[in-house]
């Protein structure tokens, strides 16, 4: 599925709606996805499905689906400190060790001095954006502990109620 800009989305929709009188049908499914179909008198149709602020769309003229995602500026100093692209690059390198939770707990104990029995490895991280003065969760990612080198690694963990990320040899607070 190709990515598209909001402008490309509106142009694709406008192109179909230029086909005479159109009727719009909308619904929401059990997963809270918003569905819209626009049927025009010239026989062309435009479909879109929106979920989690991502809209996938296609039409009778262009059946290959495209998607656009609302652009947001990520909030600083909250959520994950490592963006998903960098994490994926680390995880996909052939010499990266995909650590088990037990290995990651021992590593955190050895490198940072925490009691490994009190370290809880966390596999879910999020990033946030600010809207109308409030933090809102944007994306949530599944992440396993990864180790490639002393300055190229990632582990998300909690100790005694404190949340941390160990990223590229640096310990940082994880604020959610």
């Amino acid at each position: 599925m190709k990515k598209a800009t909001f402008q490309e989305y509106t142009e694709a929709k406008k192109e179909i709606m230029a086909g005479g009188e159109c009727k719009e049908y909308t619904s929401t499914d059990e997963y809270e996805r918003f569905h819209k179909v626009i049927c025009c008198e010239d026989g062309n149709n435009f479909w879109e499905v929106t979920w989690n602020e991502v809209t996938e769309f296609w039409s009778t003229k262009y059946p290959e689906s495209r998607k656009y995602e609302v652009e947001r500026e990520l909030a600083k100093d909250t959520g994950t400190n490592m963006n998903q692209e960098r994490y994926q690059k680390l995880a996909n390198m052939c010499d990266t060790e995909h650590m088990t939770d037990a290995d990651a707990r021992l590593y955190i104990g050895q490198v940072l001095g925490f009691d490994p029995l009190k370290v809880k490895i966390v596999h879910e991280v999020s990033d946030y954006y600010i809207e109308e003065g409030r933090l809102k969760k944007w994306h949530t990612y599944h992440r396993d502990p990864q180790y490639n080198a002393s300055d190229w690694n990632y582990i998300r963990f909690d100790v005694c109620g404190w949340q941390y990320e160990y990223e590229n040899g640096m310990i940082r607070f994880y604020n959610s």
Side-chain angles (χ1 to χ4, degrees), residues 152-166:
W152 188 220
N153 47 59
Y154 182 86
I155 303 171
R156 166 72 181 87
F157 66 100
D158 293 350
V159 178
C160 299
W162 291 89
Q163 300 177 344
Y164 301 98
E165 278 184 317
Y166 185 70

Side-chain angles (χ1 to χ4, degrees), residues 107-147:
Y107 180 80
I108 292 298
Q110 290 172 341
V111 173
L112 301 175
F114 290 109
D115 180 349
L117 297 175
K118 294 183 180 182
V119 173
K120 176 186 173 200
I121 303 301
V122 179
H123 295 273
E124 188 174 279
V125 300
S126 298
D127 51 26
Y128 297 81
Y129 66 96
I130 297 174
E131 182 177 270
E132 298 174 2
R134 293 183 179 193
L135 278 177
K136 294 194 175 188
K137 191 180 285 187
W138 183 231
H139 302 103
T140 299
Y141 307 105
H142 177 84
R143 291 188 178 170
D144 293 322
Q146 308 291 334
Y147 182 88

